[in-house]
Amino acid sequence: MDDAQAFINQLATLVGVQGAFVFDQGGTIKQYSTPMKVSRDQGVALARTLSRTLTGMSTAHGSSFMDIDLVYGEGRLVIKGISQGGLCIICERQANYSLLNITLEQGLGLLRGSDTAQVKEDPAKMLEGIITIAEEMLGDHAPKVIPILESAGSDRQKLEQAIQQAEKMTRMFINKEQAGKMAQRMRELVVNED
């Protein structure tokens, strides 16, 4: 069992937590806790809805690390954004939120870090991740910068130059506020090989 799965299982053992799962941007559940007191079908439906919600919010706010805390009739949903989706924790009202927050602080970096590390290891996924960021943040305007990014291929140095060009184009013609945020998120995926 990997560290991320162990962390998700640890969340599910906290008092009042019914389960936890990681979902991708398409709403597919990638990892889920054992035990999981919510049915798989309910989890799948929830993951789809949450992925659309996080995508919309991250586009509006310019960050893939959006956090949501929803209180409803009998419980609470705590959603933590990660760069390629999110983590959902389903809780009862009597859940120990202090302990949950401490546990999240200790382990959330693991999910966010492993997600980014996985993208950085695969140059094709790195380009795919950068294009996804452009689509999330620019919406209908993304096709204006995607060809610039695609022309760089998977070469890190060319990608850095393409990101700079995409940032300039976005700043000048699309959205000044989003340009810097978008470029920062893209640069986080591109690291020097040294």
Side-chain angles (χ1 to χ4, degrees), residues 5 28-29 37 59 73-74 83 91 106 113 128 134 166 171 173 186 192:
Q5 184 63 53
T28 303
I29 294 178
K37 297 174 186 158
T59 300
E74 297 300 317
S83 62
C91 306
Q106 293 171 346
E128 182 181 313
R171 191 174 308 279
F173 301 110
M186 290 176 175
N192 293 326

Side-chain angles (χ1 to χ4, degrees), residues 1-13 17-24 28-44 46-47 86-90 111:
M1 178 186 324
D2 65 15
D3 291 340
Q5 184 63 53
F7 167 62
I8 294 167
N9 288 345
Q10 179 186 3
L11 287 173
T13 64
V17 174
Q18 296 180 326
F21 60 86
V22 173
F23 58 93
D24 67 13
T28 303
I29 294 178
K30 294 298 186 182
Q31 294 174 307
Y32 60 95
S33 63
T34 307
M36 182 81 162
K37 297 174 186 158
V38 176
S39 76
R40 181 95 172 145
D41 290 341
Q42 289 173 320
V44 168
L46 182 57
L87 165 67
C88 176
I89 304 114
I90 304 164
L111 285 178

